[in-house]
Amino acid sequence: MVIKRKKRFFAKDELKLLWPFYFSKFVFTIFYVMIPFEVLYFLGIGFNLFQVGLITSAALLSTFIFEIPTGAVADLYGRKVSSIVGYFLAALVMISIFFTKNLYLIIGIYFFLGFARTFISGAQEAWNSIEPSCSTKLSKKTVLFNRYAISKKR
């Protein structure tokens, strides 16, 4: 007699422990899906492609400047706190974009968006790799998968 086991998408208690990571990946993916729409929005309010390039360059410049200092913040106060602060600041910034049509304010907002994303960039992945290894409820396969997903080259 062969007993068929029901295949599960998640390991037992995996979703209870890892739901914040899955939710944050979903939200962060939405940020990347929005990029083409942001360009269309800026073109629609009267900016040219050069100005749109300046706006996105501001975010990249601030990411370059603040990556190491915000990593130190994550080390001092914890990766969970750093990730939550980063998501909160990024949400505030994304909402504030629609309240102005001034190029210089939008460049400043995008500079602040890059700053907010640096709170998330390393802390969220590190939190994801450390947290499951502390739990005895998850299988070794899940922990190895999480570590592989973080260490793979993007």
Side-chain angles (χ1 to χ4, degrees):
M1 182 168 146
V2 177
I3 299 174
K4 291 186 177 181
R5 288 192 169 172
K6 189 176 180 181
K7 292 193 176 195
R8 302 175 77 176
F9 190 69
F10 296 107
K12 184 179 180 188
D13 294 332
E14 178 182 9
L15 196 56
K16 273 197 270 185
L17 183 64
L18 294 178
W19 75 266
F21 304 117
Y22 295 141
F23 181 72
S24 68
K25 285 296 182 186
F26 173 74
V27 171
F28 208 60
T29 303
I30 290 173
F31 283 138
Y32 289 112
V33 171
M34 286 177 41
I35 291 172
F37 297 105
E38 291 173 359
V39 172
L40 292 175
Y41 172 74
F42 293 137
L43 291 174
I45 62 173
F47 295 148
N48 58 33
L49 288 175
F50 177 74
Q51 292 169 328
V52 173
L54 287 176
I55 292 168
T56 56
S57 296
L60 295 174
L61 178 66
S62 66
T63 301
F64 177 74
I65 293 170
F66 293 113
E67 190 68 44
I68 292 175
T70 56
V73 170
D75 291 340
L76 288 174
Y77 297 106
R79 289 154 185 85
K80 184 189 286 188
V81 171
S82 180
S83 296
I84 291 170
V85 166
Y87 280 118
F88 180 74
L89 292 175
L92 287 177
V93 167
M94 294 304 287
I95 291 170
S96 67
I97 290 171
F98 301 106
F99 292 107
T100 184
K101 293 183 181 179
N102 184 337
L103 175 65
Y104 299 112
L105 282 176
I106 291 178
I107 288 174
I109 289 170
Y110 262 69
F111 190 84
F112 194 70
L113 177 64
F115 173 70
R117 285 182 179 171
T118 59
F119 278 100
I120 303 166
S121 65
Q124 205 272 334
E125 284 86 0
W127 180 28
N128 193 7
S129 68
I130 292 170
E131 189 75 25
S133 64
C134 297
S135 172
T136 58
K137 294 181 181 179
L138 291 177
S139 66
K140 290 181 181 180
K141 179 174 69 173
T142 304
V143 172
L144 288 175
F145 173 76
N146 288 337
R147 289 188 179 157
Y148 168 75
I150 291 166
S151 66
K152 71 176 183 162
K153 297 201 182 223
R154 294 180 185 178

